[in-house]
PDB file of all heavy atoms in Angstrom:
ATOM      1  N   THR A 417     -11.954  10.846   1.629  1.00  0.00           N
ATOM      2  CA  THR A 417     -10.593  11.103   1.195  1.00  0.00           C
ATOM      3  C   THR A 417      -9.660  10.273   2.070  1.00  0.00           C
ATOM      4  O   THR A 417      -9.727  10.326   3.304  1.00  0.00           O
ATOM      5  CB  THR A 417     -10.213  12.613   1.357  1.00  0.00           C
ATOM      6  OG1 THR A 417     -11.207  13.399   0.675  1.00  0.00           O
ATOM      7  CG2 THR A 417      -8.847  12.867   0.708  1.00  0.00           C
ATOM      8  N   ASP A 418      -8.780   9.500   1.397  1.00  0.00           N
ATOM      9  CA  ASP A 418      -7.865   8.646   2.136  1.00  0.00           C
ATOM     10  C   ASP A 418      -6.519   9.284   2.316  1.00  0.00           C
ATOM     11  O   ASP A 418      -5.972   9.962   1.416  1.00  0.00           O
ATOM     12  CB  ASP A 418      -7.677   7.318   1.392  1.00  0.00           C
ATOM     13  CG  ASP A 418      -8.866   6.385   1.575  1.00  0.00           C
ATOM     14  OD1 ASP A 418      -9.808   6.742   2.300  1.00  0.00           O
ATOM     15  OD2 ASP A 418      -8.812   5.283   0.982  1.00  0.00           O
ATOM     16  N   TYR A 419      -5.936   9.092   3.523  1.00  0.00           N
ATOM     17  CA  TYR A 419      -4.642   9.619   3.893  1.00  0.00           C
ATOM     18  C   TYR A 419      -3.755   8.548   4.497  1.00  0.00           C
ATOM     19  O   TYR A 419      -4.261   7.640   5.196  1.00  0.00           O
ATOM     20  CB  TYR A 419      -4.733  10.759   4.887  1.00  0.00           C
ATOM     21  CG  TYR A 419      -5.497  11.967   4.416  1.00  0.00           C
ATOM     22  CD1 TYR A 419      -6.866  12.070   4.560  1.00  0.00           C
ATOM     23  CD2 TYR A 419      -4.849  13.034   3.822  1.00  0.00           C
ATOM     24  CE1 TYR A 419      -7.581  13.174   4.143  1.00  0.00           C
ATOM     25  CE2 TYR A 419      -5.526  14.159   3.403  1.00  0.00           C
ATOM     26  CZ  TYR A 419      -6.898  14.235   3.572  1.00  0.00           C
ATOM     27  OH  TYR A 419      -7.586  15.343   3.165  1.00  0.00           O
ATOM     28  N   ILE A 420      -2.466   8.612   4.300  1.00  0.00           N
ATOM     29  CA  ILE A 420      -1.505   7.740   4.973  1.00  0.00           C
ATOM     30  C   ILE A 420      -1.280   8.304   6.387  1.00  0.00           C
ATOM     31  O   ILE A 420      -0.858   9.434   6.547  1.00  0.00           O
ATOM     32  CB  ILE A 420      -0.228   7.651   4.194  1.00  0.00           C
ATOM     33  CG1 ILE A 420      -0.442   6.962   2.817  1.00  0.00           C
ATOM     34  CG2 ILE A 420       0.843   6.844   4.998  1.00  0.00           C
ATOM     35  CD1 ILE A 420       0.798   6.890   1.941  1.00  0.00           C
ATOM     36  N   PHE A 421      -1.526   7.474   7.369  1.00  0.00           N
ATOM     37  CA  PHE A 421      -1.301   7.859   8.748  1.00  0.00           C
ATOM     38  C   PHE A 421       0.195   7.794   9.076  1.00  0.00           C
ATOM     39  O   PHE A 421       0.821   6.767   8.979  1.00  0.00           O
ATOM     40  CB  PHE A 421      -2.095   6.920   9.638  1.00  0.00           C
ATOM     41  CG  PHE A 421      -1.830   7.014  11.102  1.00  0.00           C
ATOM     42  CD1 PHE A 421      -1.929   8.244  11.743  1.00  0.00           C
ATOM     43  CD2 PHE A 421      -1.471   5.908  11.847  1.00  0.00           C
ATOM     44  CE1 PHE A 421      -1.692   8.320  13.116  1.00  0.00           C
ATOM     45  CE2 PHE A 421      -1.244   5.990  13.218  1.00  0.00           C
ATOM     46  CZ  PHE A 421      -1.358   7.205  13.839  1.00  0.00           C
ATOM     47  N   LYS A 422       0.787   8.860   9.448  1.00  0.00           N
ATOM     48  CA  LYS A 422       2.228   8.874   9.672  1.00  0.00           C
ATOM     49  C   LYS A 422       2.626   9.225  11.134  1.00  0.00           C
ATOM     50  O   LYS A 422       3.346   8.484  11.757  1.00  0.00           O
ATOM     51  CB  LYS A 422       2.961   9.810   8.718  1.00  0.00           C
ATOM     52  CG  LYS A 422       3.061   9.290   7.306  1.00  0.00           C
ATOM     53  CD  LYS A 422       3.978  10.168   6.496  1.00  0.00           C
ATOM     54  CE  LYS A 422       4.261   9.501   5.143  1.00  0.00           C
ATOM     55  NZ  LYS A 422       5.172  10.329   4.312  1.00  0.00           N
ATOM     56  N   PHE A 423       2.128  10.305  11.624  1.00  0.00           N
ATOM     57  CA  PHE A 423       2.504  10.629  12.994  1.00  0.00           C
ATOM     58  C   PHE A 423       1.532  11.620  13.584  1.00  0.00           C
ATOM     59  O   PHE A 423       0.868  12.334  12.852  1.00  0.00           O
ATOM     60  CB  PHE A 423       3.922  11.197  13.052  1.00  0.00           C
ATOM     61  CG  PHE A 423       4.093  12.454  12.209  1.00  0.00           C
ATOM     62  CD1 PHE A 423       3.812  13.707  12.728  1.00  0.00           C
ATOM     63  CD2 PHE A 423       4.501  12.336  10.877  1.00  0.00           C
ATOM     64  CE1 PHE A 423       3.978  14.838  11.941  1.00  0.00           C
ATOM     65  CE2 PHE A 423       4.666  13.480  10.107  1.00  0.00           C
ATOM     66  CZ  PHE A 423       4.389  14.724  10.630  1.00  0.00           C
ATOM     67  N   LEU A 424       1.424  11.618  14.891  1.00  0.00           N
ATOM     68  CA  LEU A 424       0.565  12.587  15.592  1.00  0.00           C
ATOM     69  C   LEU A 424       1.445  13.811  15.917  1.00  0.00           C
ATOM     70  O   LEU A 424       2.521  13.685  16.532  1.00  0.00           O
ATOM     71  CB  LEU A 424       0.008  11.998  16.839  1.00  0.00           C
ATOM     72  CG  LEU A 424      -1.142  10.997  16.649  1.00  0.00           C
ATOM     73  CD1 LEU A 424      -1.511  10.369  17.983  1.00  0.00           C
ATOM     74  CD2 LEU A 424      -2.361  11.699  16.086  1.00  0.00           C
ATOM     75  N   VAL A 425       0.982  14.973  15.560  1.00  0.00           N
ATOM     76  CA  VAL A 425       1.655  16.192  15.923  1.00  0.00           C
ATOM     77  C   VAL A 425       1.546  16.445  17.450  1.00  0.00           C
ATOM     78  O   VAL A 425       0.457  16.326  17.979  1.00  0.00           O
ATOM     79  CB  VAL A 425       1.068  17.404  15.171  1.00  0.00           C
ATOM     80  CG1 VAL A 425       1.774  18.700  15.545  1.00  0.00           C
ATOM     81  CG2 VAL A 425       1.206  17.174  13.639  1.00  0.00           C
ATOM     82  N   GLU A 426       2.654  16.711  18.107  1.00  0.00           N
ATOM     83  CA  GLU A 426       2.636  16.844  19.543  1.00  0.00           C
ATOM     84  C   GLU A 426       1.661  17.884  20.052  1.00  0.00           C
ATOM     85  O   GLU A 426       1.001  17.685  21.105  1.00  0.00           O
ATOM     86  CB  GLU A 426       4.033  17.170  20.059  1.00  0.00           C
ATOM     87  CG  GLU A 426       5.042  16.042  19.910  1.00  0.00           C
ATOM     88  CD  GLU A 426       6.392  16.367  20.465  1.00  0.00           C
ATOM     89  OE1 GLU A 426       6.542  17.489  20.989  1.00  0.00           O
ATOM     90  OE2 GLU A 426       7.259  15.525  20.430  1.00  0.00           O
ATOM     91  N   LYS A 427       1.465  18.940  19.287  1.00  0.00           N
ATOM     92  CA  LYS A 427       0.548  19.997  19.734  1.00  0.00           C
ATOM     93  C   LYS A 427      -0.892  19.672  19.469  1.00  0.00           C
ATOM     94  O   LYS A 427      -1.803  20.342  19.970  1.00  0.00           O
ATOM     95  CB  LYS A 427       0.919  21.295  19.030  1.00  0.00           C
ATOM     96  CG  LYS A 427       2.273  21.858  19.462  1.00  0.00           C
ATOM     97  CD  LYS A 427       2.543  23.188  18.782  1.00  0.00           C
ATOM     98  CE  LYS A 427       3.884  23.756  19.197  1.00  0.00           C
ATOM     99  NZ  LYS A 427       4.152  25.033  18.527  1.00  0.00           N
ATOM    100  N   THR A 428      -1.169  18.612  18.651  1.00  0.00           N
ATOM    101  CA  THR A 428      -2.538  18.180  18.395  1.00  0.00           C
ATOM    102  C   THR A 428      -3.083  17.545  19.611  1.00  0.00           C
ATOM    103  O   THR A 428      -2.432  16.851  20.348  1.00  0.00           O
ATOM    104  CB  THR A 428      -2.559  17.204  17.197  1.00  0.00           C
ATOM    105  OG1 THR A 428      -1.979  17.797  16.075  1.00  0.00           O
ATOM    106  CG2 THR A 428      -3.994  16.816  16.865  1.00  0.00           C
ATOM    107  N   HIS A 429      -4.390  17.800  19.865  1.00  0.00           N
ATOM    108  CA  HIS A 429      -5.088  17.220  21.002  1.00  0.00           C
ATOM    109  C   HIS A 429      -4.868  15.723  20.999  1.00  0.00           C
ATOM    110  O   HIS A 429      -4.946  15.057  19.965  1.00  0.00           O
ATOM    111  CB  HIS A 429      -6.585  17.522  20.935  1.00  0.00           C
ATOM    112  CG  HIS A 429      -7.271  17.259  22.199  1.00  0.00           C
ATOM    113  ND1 HIS A 429      -7.547  16.003  22.662  1.00  0.00           N
ATOM    114  CD2 HIS A 429      -7.774  18.114  23.142  1.00  0.00           C
ATOM    115  CE1 HIS A 429      -8.187  16.095  23.840  1.00  0.00           C
ATOM    116  NE2 HIS A 429      -8.339  17.336  24.161  1.00  0.00           N
ATOM    117  N   GLN A 430      -4.599  15.100  22.154  1.00  0.00           N
ATOM    118  CA  GLN A 430      -4.248  13.720  22.231  1.00  0.00           C
ATOM    119  C   GLN A 430      -5.302  12.772  21.694  1.00  0.00           C
ATOM    120  O   GLN A 430      -4.952  11.692  21.226  1.00  0.00           O
ATOM    121  CB  GLN A 430      -3.914  13.319  23.671  1.00  0.00           C
ATOM    122  CG  GLN A 430      -5.108  13.418  24.622  1.00  0.00           C
ATOM    123  CD  GLN A 430      -4.779  12.946  26.002  1.00  0.00           C
ATOM    124  OE1 GLN A 430      -3.897  12.114  26.181  1.00  0.00           O
ATOM    125  NE2 GLN A 430      -5.439  13.439  27.013  1.00  0.00           N
ATOM    126  N   PHE A 431      -6.575  13.170  21.677  1.00  0.00           N
ATOM    127  CA  PHE A 431      -7.590  12.299  21.176  1.00  0.00           C
ATOM    128  C   PHE A 431      -8.011  12.633  19.771  1.00  0.00           C
ATOM    129  O   PHE A 431      -8.842  11.963  19.175  1.00  0.00           O
ATOM    130  CB  PHE A 431      -8.821  12.380  22.086  1.00  0.00           C
ATOM    131  CG  PHE A 431      -8.681  11.670  23.399  1.00  0.00           C
ATOM    132  CD1 PHE A 431      -8.627  12.400  24.558  1.00  0.00           C
ATOM    133  CD2 PHE A 431      -8.600  10.306  23.460  1.00  0.00           C
ATOM    134  CE1 PHE A 431      -8.478  11.766  25.751  1.00  0.00           C
ATOM    135  CE2 PHE A 431      -8.449   9.656  24.658  1.00  0.00           C
ATOM    136  CZ  PHE A 431      -8.380  10.404  25.844  1.00  0.00           C
ATOM    137  N   SER A 432      -7.440  13.743  19.195  1.00  0.00           N
ATOM    138  CA  SER A 432      -7.956  14.214  17.916  1.00  0.00           C
ATOM    139  C   SER A 432      -7.029  13.918  16.779  1.00  0.00           C
ATOM    140  O   SER A 432      -5.823  14.104  16.894  1.00  0.00           O
ATOM    141  CB  SER A 432      -8.175  15.727  18.007  1.00  0.00           C
ATOM    142  OG  SER A 432      -8.655  16.209  16.791  1.00  0.00           O
ATOM    143  N   LEU A 433      -7.609  13.443  15.686  1.00  0.00           N
ATOM    144  CA  LEU A 433      -6.795  13.179  14.509  1.00  0.00           C
ATOM    145  C   LEU A 433      -6.601  14.435  13.685  1.00  0.00           C
ATOM    146  O   LEU A 433      -5.684  14.516  12.865  1.00  0.00           O
ATOM    147  CB  LEU A 433      -7.529  12.132  13.648  1.00  0.00           C
ATOM    148  CG  LEU A 433      -6.868  11.606  12.380  1.00  0.00           C
ATOM    149  CD1 LEU A 433      -5.601  10.849  12.751  1.00  0.00           C
ATOM    150  CD2 LEU A 433      -7.806  10.695  11.628  1.00  0.00           C
ATOM    151  N   PHE A 434      -7.431  15.446  13.916  1.00  0.00           N
ATOM    152  CA  PHE A 434      -7.392  16.662  13.108  1.00  0.00           C
ATOM    153  C   PHE A 434      -7.183  17.868  14.006  1.00  0.00           C
ATOM    154  O   PHE A 434      -7.399  17.830  15.203  1.00  0.00           O
ATOM    155  CB  PHE A 434      -8.677  16.812  12.306  1.00  0.00           C
ATOM    156  CG  PHE A 434      -8.898  15.676  11.368  1.00  0.00           C
ATOM    157  CD1 PHE A 434      -9.546  14.534  11.805  1.00  0.00           C
ATOM    158  CD2 PHE A 434      -8.412  15.730  10.099  1.00  0.00           C
ATOM    159  CE1 PHE A 434      -9.738  13.434  10.935  1.00  0.00           C
ATOM    160  CE2 PHE A 434      -8.632  14.674   9.227  1.00  0.00           C
ATOM    161  CZ  PHE A 434      -9.248  13.498   9.634  1.00  0.00           C
ATOM    162  N   ASN A 435      -6.653  18.965  13.408  1.00  0.00           N
ATOM    163  CA  ASN A 435      -6.349  20.126  14.238  1.00  0.00           C
ATOM    164  C   ASN A 435      -7.592  20.972  14.483  1.00  0.00           C
ATOM    165  O   ASN A 435      -8.686  20.661  14.028  1.00  0.00           O
ATOM    166  CB  ASN A 435      -5.235  20.946  13.580  1.00  0.00           C
ATOM    167  CG  ASN A 435      -5.648  21.546  12.256  1.00  0.00           C
ATOM    168  OD1 ASN A 435      -6.801  21.790  11.993  1.00  0.00           O
ATOM    169  ND2 ASN A 435      -4.688  21.796  11.399  1.00  0.00           N
ATOM    170  N   ASP A 436      -7.422  22.029  15.294  1.00  0.00           N
ATOM    171  CA  ASP A 436      -8.563  22.780  15.763  1.00  0.00           C
ATOM    172  C   ASP A 436      -9.286  23.518  14.634  1.00  0.00           C
ATOM    173  O   ASP A 436     -10.416  23.901  14.815  1.00  0.00           O
ATOM    174  CB  ASP A 436      -8.103  23.824  16.822  1.00  0.00           C
ATOM    175  CG  ASP A 436      -7.671  23.114  18.087  1.00  0.00           C
ATOM    176  OD1 ASP A 436      -8.098  22.003  18.333  1.00  0.00           O
ATOM    177  OD2 ASP A 436      -6.883  23.752  18.841  1.00  0.00           O
ATOM    178  N   GLU A 437      -8.623  23.729  13.525  1.00  0.00           N
ATOM    179  CA  GLU A 437      -9.251  24.404  12.385  1.00  0.00           C
ATOM    180  C   GLU A 437     -10.051  23.419  11.497  1.00  0.00           C
ATOM    181  O   GLU A 437     -10.648  23.807  10.515  1.00  0.00           O
ATOM    182  CB  GLU A 437      -8.224  25.115  11.536  1.00  0.00           C
ATOM    183  CG  GLU A 437      -7.644  26.374  12.178  1.00  0.00           C
ATOM    184  CD  GLU A 437      -6.712  26.038  13.325  1.00  0.00           C
ATOM    185  OE1 GLU A 437      -5.960  25.050  13.221  1.00  0.00           O
ATOM    186  OE2 GLU A 437      -6.735  26.746  14.315  1.00  0.00           O
ATOM    187  N   GLY A 438      -9.995  22.155  11.877  1.00  0.00           N
ATOM    188  CA  GLY A 438     -10.766  21.182  11.104  1.00  0.00           C
ATOM    189  C   GLY A 438      -9.966  20.616   9.902  1.00  0.00           C
ATOM    190  O   GLY A 438     -10.502  19.844   9.116  1.00  0.00           O
ATOM    191  N   ASN A 439      -8.708  21.002   9.805  1.00  0.00           N
ATOM    192  CA  ASN A 439      -7.889  20.513   8.725  1.00  0.00           C
ATOM    193  C   ASN A 439      -7.064  19.315   9.181  1.00  0.00           C
ATOM    194  O   ASN A 439      -6.886  19.067  10.382  1.00  0.00           O
ATOM    195  CB  ASN A 439      -6.904  21.612   8.260  1.00  0.00           C
ATOM    196  CG  ASN A 439      -7.632  22.841   7.772  1.00  0.00           C
ATOM    197  OD1 ASN A 439      -8.603  22.736   7.038  1.00  0.00           O
ATOM    198  ND2 ASN A 439      -7.193  23.986   8.232  1.00  0.00           N
ATOM    199  N   VAL A 440      -6.579  18.540   8.219  1.00  0.00           N
ATOM    200  CA  VAL A 440      -5.769  17.382   8.581  1.00  0.00           C
ATOM    201  C   VAL A 440      -4.539  17.903   9.283  1.00  0.00           C
ATOM    202  O   VAL A 440      -3.807  18.721   8.799  1.00  0.00           O
ATOM    203  CB  VAL A 440      -5.385  16.622   7.288  1.00  0.00           C
ATOM    204  CG1 VAL A 440      -4.453  15.452   7.654  1.00  0.00           C
ATOM    205  CG2 VAL A 440      -6.644  16.084   6.605  1.00  0.00           C
ATOM    206  N   GLY A 441      -4.285  17.330  10.506  1.00  0.00           N
ATOM    207  CA  GLY A 441      -3.206  17.840  11.326  1.00  0.00           C
ATOM    208  C   GLY A 441      -2.060  16.879  11.479  1.00  0.00           C
ATOM    209  O   GLY A 441      -0.958  17.273  11.897  1.00  0.00           O
ATOM    210  N   SER A 442      -2.278  15.552  11.240  1.00  0.00           N
ATOM    211  CA  SER A 442      -1.247  14.636  11.576  1.00  0.00           C
ATOM    212  C   SER A 442      -1.072  13.504  10.539  1.00  0.00           C
ATOM    213  O   SER A 442      -0.474  12.491  10.805  1.00  0.00           O
ATOM    214  CB  SER A 442      -1.562  13.973  12.937  1.00  0.00           C
ATOM    215  OG  SER A 442      -2.859  13.389  12.879  1.00  0.00           O
ATOM    216  N   ILE A 443      -1.601  13.698   9.383  1.00  0.00           N
ATOM    217  CA  ILE A 443      -1.452  12.748   8.299  1.00  0.00           C
ATOM    218  C   ILE A 443      -1.066  13.476   7.036  1.00  0.00           C
ATOM    219  O   ILE A 443      -1.293  14.680   6.910  1.00  0.00           O
ATOM    220  CB  ILE A 443      -2.713  11.899   8.103  1.00  0.00           C
ATOM    221  CG1 ILE A 443      -3.967  12.780   8.128  1.00  0.00           C
ATOM    222  CG2 ILE A 443      -2.803  10.827   9.122  1.00  0.00           C
ATOM    223  CD1 ILE A 443      -5.264  12.000   8.065  1.00  0.00           C
ATOM    224  N   ASP A 444      -0.454  12.783   6.114  1.00  0.00           N
ATOM    225  CA  ASP A 444       0.177  13.434   4.989  1.00  0.00           C
ATOM    226  C   ASP A 444      -0.857  13.778   3.892  1.00  0.00           C
ATOM    227  O   ASP A 444      -2.062  13.768   4.109  1.00  0.00           O
ATOM    228  CB  ASP A 444       1.225  12.467   4.417  1.00  0.00           C
ATOM    229  CG  ASP A 444       2.392  13.195   3.786  1.00  0.00           C
ATOM    230  OD1 ASP A 444       2.287  14.436   3.576  1.00  0.00           O
ATOM    231  OD2 ASP A 444       3.367  12.534   3.471  1.00  0.00           O
ATOM    232  N   GLU A 445      -0.355  14.102   2.715  1.00  0.00           N
ATOM    233  CA  GLU A 445      -1.242  14.469   1.620  1.00  0.00           C
ATOM    234  C   GLU A 445      -2.142  13.301   1.250  1.00  0.00           C
ATOM    235  O   GLU A 445      -1.811  12.143   1.469  1.00  0.00           O
ATOM    236  CB  GLU A 445      -0.365  14.832   0.370  1.00  0.00           C
ATOM    237  CG  GLU A 445       0.416  16.106   0.559  1.00  0.00           C
ATOM    238  CD  GLU A 445      -0.475  17.282   0.854  1.00  0.00           C
ATOM    239  OE1 GLU A 445      -1.475  17.468   0.109  1.00  0.00           O
ATOM    240  OE2 GLU A 445      -0.215  18.042   1.804  1.00  0.00           O
ATOM    241  N   PRO A 446      -3.336  13.571   0.694  1.00  0.00           N
ATOM    242  CA  PRO A 446      -4.240  12.492   0.402  1.00  0.00           C
ATOM    243  C   PRO A 446      -3.693  11.539  -0.649  1.00  0.00           C
ATOM    244  O   PRO A 446      -2.994  11.940  -1.577  1.00  0.00           O
ATOM    245  CB  PRO A 446      -5.508  13.222  -0.179  1.00  0.00           C
ATOM    246  CG  PRO A 446      -4.994  14.597  -0.551  1.00  0.00           C
ATOM    247  CD  PRO A 446      -3.878  14.902   0.381  1.00  0.00           C
ATOM    248  N   VAL A 447      -3.962  10.251  -0.453  1.00  0.00           N
ATOM    249  CA  VAL A 447      -3.542   9.238  -1.415  1.00  0.00           C
ATOM    250  C   VAL A 447      -4.634   8.885  -2.418  1.00  0.00           C
ATOM    251  O   VAL A 447      -4.349   8.345  -3.472  1.00  0.00           O
ATOM    252  CB  VAL A 447      -3.041   7.968  -0.714  1.00  0.00           C
ATOM    253  CG1 VAL A 447      -1.779   8.244   0.120  1.00  0.00           C
ATOM    254  CG2 VAL A 447      -4.138   7.372   0.191  1.00  0.00           C
ATOM    255  N   ARG A 448      -5.884   9.247  -2.041  1.00  0.00           N
ATOM    256  CA  ARG A 448      -6.972   9.002  -2.966  1.00  0.00           C
ATOM    257  C   ARG A 448      -8.199   9.782  -2.559  1.00  0.00           C
ATOM    258  O   ARG A 448      -8.515   9.880  -1.402  1.00  0.00           O
ATOM    259  CB  ARG A 448      -7.321   7.483  -2.975  1.00  0.00           C
ATOM    260  CG  ARG A 448      -8.362   7.151  -4.063  1.00  0.00           C
ATOM    261  CD  ARG A 448      -8.553   5.636  -4.153  1.00  0.00           C
ATOM    262  NE  ARG A 448      -9.557   5.299  -5.122  1.00  0.00           N
ATOM    263  CZ  ARG A 448     -10.015   4.057  -5.368  1.00  0.00           C
ATOM    264  NH1 ARG A 448      -9.536   3.072  -4.687  1.00  0.00           N
ATOM    265  NH2 ARG A 448     -10.917   3.854  -6.280  1.00  0.00           N
ATOM    266  N   ASP A 449      -8.832  10.359  -3.605  1.00  0.00           N
ATOM    267  CA  ASP A 449     -10.106  11.036  -3.408  1.00  0.00           C
ATOM    268  C   ASP A 449     -11.235  10.198  -4.027  1.00  0.00           C
ATOM    269  O   ASP A 449     -11.037   9.559  -5.083  1.00  0.00           O
ATOM    270  CB  ASP A 449     -10.119  12.401  -4.117  1.00  0.00           C
ATOM    271  CG  ASP A 449      -9.618  13.487  -3.193  1.00  0.00           C
ATOM    272  OD1 ASP A 449      -9.881  13.416  -2.000  1.00  0.00           O
ATOM    273  OD2 ASP A 449      -8.976  14.418  -3.673  1.00  0.00           O
ATOM    274  N   PHE A 450     -12.381  10.214  -3.410  1.00  0.00           N
ATOM    275  CA  PHE A 450     -13.511   9.451  -3.897  1.00  0.00           C
ATOM    276  C   PHE A 450     -14.665  10.388  -4.250  1.00  0.00           C
ATOM    277  O   PHE A 450     -14.813  11.440  -3.628  1.00  0.00           O
ATOM    278  CB  PHE A 450     -13.997   8.423  -2.882  1.00  0.00           C
ATOM    279  CG  PHE A 450     -12.983   7.344  -2.574  1.00  0.00           C
ATOM    280  CD1 PHE A 450     -11.938   7.560  -1.707  1.00  0.00           C
ATOM    281  CD2 PHE A 450     -13.083   6.109  -3.203  1.00  0.00           C
ATOM    282  CE1 PHE A 450     -11.000   6.581  -1.441  1.00  0.00           C
ATOM    283  CE2 PHE A 450     -12.179   5.094  -2.950  1.00  0.00           C
ATOM    284  CZ  PHE A 450     -11.097   5.344  -2.060  1.00  0.00           C
ATOM    285  N   PRO A 451     -15.457  10.040  -5.229  1.00  0.00           N
ATOM    286  CA  PRO A 451     -16.598  10.905  -5.594  1.00  0.00           C
ATOM    287  C   PRO A 451     -17.657  10.955  -4.488  1.00  0.00           C
ATOM    288  O   PRO A 451     -17.728  10.049  -3.637  1.00  0.00           O
ATOM    289  CB  PRO A 451     -17.165  10.263  -6.861  1.00  0.00           C
ATOM    290  CG  PRO A 451     -16.738   8.806  -6.778  1.00  0.00           C
ATOM    291  CD  PRO A 451     -15.397   8.824  -6.087  1.00  0.00           C
TER     292      PRO A 451
END
């Protein structure tokens, strides 16, 4: 699944692109899904 990278959430771990729950934490809605 592709996402547009926009900003890192300050509370998100500095090395992590995703939040602790495993959900997208710092990028917007998906721009494309692939089979």
Side-chain angles (χ1 to χ4, degrees):
T417 307
D418 284 358
Y419 296 88
I420 296 176
F421 171 54
K422 285 191 172 180
F423 58 88
L424 285 172
V425 178
E426 290 183 0
K427 293 183 180 179
T428 302
H429 194 287
Q430 63 176 333
F431 287 111
S432 179
L433 185 64
F434 300 87
N435 65 27
D436 292 337
E437 288 71 39
N439 300 315
V440 176
S442 57
I443 43 185
D444 211 349
E445 292 300 313
V447 294
R448 186 174 179 184
D449 270 326
F450 294 81

